[in-house]
């Protein structure tokens, strides 16, 4: 079958900073599976290009004044369509984030106009979380793939080629001949991933992506799949379930060697949901890298836990080439962490961060603000915690206002309480604003509480960076020049400026 896979351009708001995305790991894995099965595959990544243009499509929203600020970064719809082969039979569009959905669905409609006979399929986190709503909102989208896509896409393509009814393809939601939406049973999680083909990086122009060392792109890689935890703010339980599958250290190193030989890179980002749970795995991995004399640079940017990361582990990480690690405490309040089922011990985490700094790793910390159950006392506890992190020498923080991730427990609770309506575009606009702006409207809390959250959020930044300036002045100067501090305060400046101009 002739199949084109597309990662759409990214959605943002005017003046918000945007970073260049990494190569699309999930879509490249799907491409690898299809190619191994003998299908003709073209992979189009529209996201890493610098072109920026306003979003002009019609959307249905009651949120006044938001539409004109939305921008698209990447290839235009016309450029994407021009790259699709004229004889394409299936088009797969990745939809990972709700913030991109208004553009993703518009792109699908444009593709269908140009290729009316092509079957259009979509998958990813957003699609997995609310497939029925997505199919209703996008008339030209015919099939949604739920959860892991490798086995499902093969069964789907086989059924289409043989003219079979789609009712027996597990892991999809689709429209039948009468345009009715049919929800098939979920597919069981993949258990044996040893024979899964590697991502088809050869289908991409790797010169377009970020480089952390040398002249070649940093490639994402997975050592594990899934997450055994059930944080209420996260969509992982519905996307993956709680089955946690680990590859062996040997398997991961074999894939690294393949990428080094074929794509001339020695730089890797581990995109695992929870990268390090078992200490023995990390120690063995580091030992094998040393024995095989691999000179690599790797990072853990997605956020991990601290239970297994002690002094021995952090030393092994550094010796194996790891130079960057992100922790994900989310809050400094023990009460709130219990409320959101975030099973992390803050004292152990601070100790782990201290070991990481001692052994040469750059350390980042993911933090959230404005969780539904968060109180003023919780925020004060987090402020104290941030001061402690800065004193330890944590290099930077990633601070985000909470937004309702589709599929998460908090999302479903908000829908049941009619706090939000995912059928309306207002929900998508709120996600875009909340993701890209620091000071923005928040329809999910009172004006008084939201104003307090903004003040607290700015206070978090001031407290963390001022403490860093006092204890680690050299590190502070480096962060101001290269880190996220510039982006945060730049966003605050632009948001305040916009508010003043509107008045």
């Amino acid at each position: 079958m002739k199949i084109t896979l597309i990662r759409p351009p990214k959605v943002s708001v005017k003046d918000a900073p945007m970073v260049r995305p990494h190569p699309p790991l999930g879509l490249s894995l799907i491409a690898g599976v299809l190619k191994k099965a003998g299908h003709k595959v073209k992979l189009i990544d529209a996201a890493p290009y610098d072109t920026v243009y306003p979003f002009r499509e019609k959307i249905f929203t009651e949120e006044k004044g938001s539409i004109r600020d939305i921008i698209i970064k990447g290839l235009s719809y016309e450029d994407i369509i021009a790259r699709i082969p004229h004889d394409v039979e299936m088009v797969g569009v990745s939809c990972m984030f709700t913030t991109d959905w208004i553009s993703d669905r518009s792109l699908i409609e444009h593709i269908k106009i140009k290729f009316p006979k092509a079957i259009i399929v979509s998958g990813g986190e957003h699609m997995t979380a609310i497939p029925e709503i997505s199919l209703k909102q996008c008339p030209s989208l015919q099939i949604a793939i739920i959860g892991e896509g490798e086995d499902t896409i093969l069964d789907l393509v086989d059924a289409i080629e043989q003219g079979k009814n789609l009712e027996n393809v597990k892991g999809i939601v689709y429209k039948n001949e009468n345009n009715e939406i049919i929800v098939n049973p979920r597919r069981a999680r993949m258990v044996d991933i040893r024979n899964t083909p590697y991502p088809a990086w050869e289908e991409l122009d790797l010169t377009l992506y970020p480089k952390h060392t040398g002249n070649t792109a940093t490639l994402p890689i997975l050592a594990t799949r899934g997450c055994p935890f059930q944080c209420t703010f996260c969509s992982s339980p519905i996307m993956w379930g709680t089955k946690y599958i680990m590859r062996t250290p040997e398997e991961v190193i074999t894939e690294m060697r393949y990428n080094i030989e074929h794509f001339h890179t020695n730089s890797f980002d581990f995109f695992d949901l929870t990268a390090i749970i078992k200490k023995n795995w990390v120690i063995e991995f580091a030992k094998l890298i040393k024995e095989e004399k691999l000179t690599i640079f790797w990072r853990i940017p997605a956020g991990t836990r601290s239970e297994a990361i002690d002094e021995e582990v952090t030393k092994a990480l550094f010796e194996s080439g790891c130079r960057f690690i992100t922790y994900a405490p989310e809050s400094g309040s023990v009460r709130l962490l219990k409320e959101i089922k975030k099973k992390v011990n803050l004292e152990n985490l601070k100790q782990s961060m201290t070991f990481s700094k001692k052994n040469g790793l750059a350390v980042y910390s993911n933090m959230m603000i404005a969780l539904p159950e968060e109180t003023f006392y919780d925020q004060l506890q987090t402020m104290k915690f941030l001061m402690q992190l800065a004193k330890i020498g944590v290099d930077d923080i990633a601070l985000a206002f909470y937004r309702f991730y589709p599929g998460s427990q908090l999302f479903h609770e908000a829908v049941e309480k009619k706090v939000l309506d995912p059928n309306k575009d207002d929900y998508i606009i709120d996600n875009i604003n909340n993701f890209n702006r620091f000071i923005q409207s928040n329809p999910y809390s009172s004006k008084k509480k939201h104003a307090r959250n903004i003040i607290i959020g700015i206070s978090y930044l001031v407290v963390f960076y001022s403490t860093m300036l006092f204890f680690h002045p050299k590190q502070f100067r480096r962060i101001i020049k290269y880190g996220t501090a510039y982006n945060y305060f730049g966003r605050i400046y632009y948001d305040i400026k916009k508010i003043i101009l509107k008045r």
Side-chain angles (χ1 to χ4, degrees), residues 138-151:
C138 187
S140 296
L141 179 60
Q142 295 151 277
I143 304 168
I145 292 179
I146 310 305
E148 286 175 297
E150 289 98 329
D151 289 344

Side-chain angles (χ1 to χ4, degrees), residues 9 42 49 69 80-81 90 105 108 142 206 254 262 308 315 317 333 355 381 414 435 448 470 475 480 497:
K42 178 160 186 175
Y49 295 87
D69 295 332
I80 295 169
I81 290 171
M90 175 184 283
R105 74 190 191 201
I108 289 170
Q142 295 151 277
L206 295 179
T254 299
H262 288 80
K315 185 178 180 181
L317 288 173
S333 166
F355 289 140
Q381 293 295 105
F435 182 74
K448 182 178 179 181
F470 183 80
Q475 184 170 294
I480 289 296
K497 181 180 177 181

Side-chain angles (χ1 to χ4, degrees), residues 191 193 223-225 244-248 251 275 277-278 281:
V191 176
I193 57 176
T224 64
R225 287 199 181 196
Y244 185 70
I245 300 170
M246 302 178 69
R247 302 169 71 188
T248 67
E251 289 166 352
I277 289 182
K278 293 187 177 181
W281 192 99

Side-chain angles (χ1 to χ4, degrees), residues 38-51:
H39 300 287
K40 188 174 181 180
V41 180
K42 178 160 186 175
L43 180 53
I44 301 172
D45 186 4
Y49 295 87
D50 293 327
T51 310

